[in-house]
Amino acid sequence: KIVIASICVGYVAVKWNRPSFDPESLRGARVLVTGASSGIGEQMAYHYARFGAQIVITARREKVLQQVTEKCLSLGAQKALFISGDMSTESDPDKVVDFALEKLGGLDYLVLNHIGVTRFAMWDGDVDHVKWLMKPNFFSYIQMAWRALPSLEKSKGSMVIVSSMAGKLSNPFTAPYCSTKSALNGFFGALSHELAMKKSNVSTSLITLGLIDTESALNAVRGIITTPAYPATEAALNIIVTGATRQLELYYPWYTYVMNFFKDWYPPLTNHLIQNALNYDP
Ligand code: NDP
């Protein structure tokens, strides 16, 4: 009872302390969203468009990006531009930030959301894949954050880092992905302290997501996980509000907060739940 009461109090305190969101604050805001050709990134682009923001989106597939920017304009974006880029390369992360800075005249929001393709499967010893996955999922994030920081400092802007429950709590079948998300949590957790200590104008928001109903996620877990998936459009809106209200963290959906809370209270229970949530027969 005490544990449940503590979780409820913690969750209500987090919700209650949430500053109110003014949609007008996003009108004309200069936003760069990565991984915006599909899934949560695409939905974020549409929400920013409805709020009247100026958007640059990026991913690898140019044709799809073009369609997303056209839809953004029809939804009310003040500006919608795209640039294709592969975040596993050395040069494209900088190229994309420079494009956004030039076309928008600076940035108010840097929303880092892309991920490289990885298998949902047991670890098979492929060290090279882990080394490669760190490039799009981690190194490009810190490269882009550093490149955008001076402009965000000027505009009192925000960095939004889309991470995962997998960055807080390790899950089977996702060892390479978990590693990259843990690295993100560690790095941006430290950076957020440093920015606060320097009295920087820049806020950071670290996003912890559970299973969201994007095509790629559902395809990966089909037949293995039966946990309900939450809607990408709602996840996207929650992420945007978290960034706009300069909150340090978002847990979406609610159960990610509970899981995170429990993991240090009684790990054997969490481990049991995690291992038995998957259909696996050796
Ligand atoms: P999607 O697979 O739907 O989208 C991934 C995006 O990244 C696409 O736009 C893709 O576009 C782009 N991308 C892939 N590889 C590269 C690359 N090498 N360089 C540049 N862009 C690339 O992912 P989701 O929407 O499901 O996930 C979005 C974020 O949410 C991720 O950070 C993920 O970790 C997080 N998350 C998602 C969960 C879920 O259940 N969906 C759960 C927890 C966290 P393109 O192919 O055109 O390059």
Side-chain angles (χ1 to χ4, degrees), residues 210-231:
L211 185 61
I212 308 299
D213 68 358
T214 61
E215 205 183 323
S216 62
L218 295 184
N219 284 342
V221 305
R222 187 161 293 126
I224 306 174
I225 289 186
T226 50
T227 318
Y230 280 68

Side-chain angles (χ1 to χ4, degrees), residues 163-171 174 177-182 185 208-210:
S163 187
S164 164
M165 196 55 213
K168 301 260 186 194
L169 187 62
S170 295
N171 279 295
T174 55
Y177 176 76
C178 278
S179 322
T180 65
K181 291 296 187 184
S182 304
N185 283 14
T208 299
L209 296 179

